[in-house]
Amino acid sequence: VVCIDGASDGKIDIIRTFVEEHGGVAYAEARLGEFVQKAVSALGIFPDSEEKSILTAMAEFTASRER
């Protein structure tokens, strides 16, 4: 949810609709997936551990949580 000082709900709805109709949300979700993959891949240099598992879970949760 975006908060823009002085913006009416109607203006925010117009912006939200524009972004959704032009693939902005899908693009952002795809990019998020790429960043999560890179983050998890970067953890691959470390041996398996509880800490590595937690960091991996945190990265994956970021991409899968409901907004």
Side-chain angles (χ1 to χ4, degrees):
V1 175
V2 175
C3 180
I4 304 171
D5 290 338
S8 68
D9 288 341
K11 288 181 181 179
I12 292 173
D13 287 339
I14 290 169
I15 294 168
R16 181 180 296 124
T17 299
F18 177 86
V19 170
E20 289 174 354
E21 287 178 353
H22 289 83
V25 174
Y27 173 79
E29 288 174 345
R31 292 291 291 164
L32 174 59
E34 292 172 16
F35 286 122
V36 169
Q37 269 187 322
K38 286 182 181 182
V40 171
S41 179
L43 293 171
I45 64 169
F46 299 106
D48 288 342
S49 66
E50 182 179 0
E51 293 81 4
K52 180 179 173 180
S53 294
I54 291 170
L55 289 170
T56 299
M58 287 173 54
E60 292 171 348
F61 171 78
T62 301
S64 66
R65 69 184 177 91
E66 293 294 318
R67 286 146 192 79

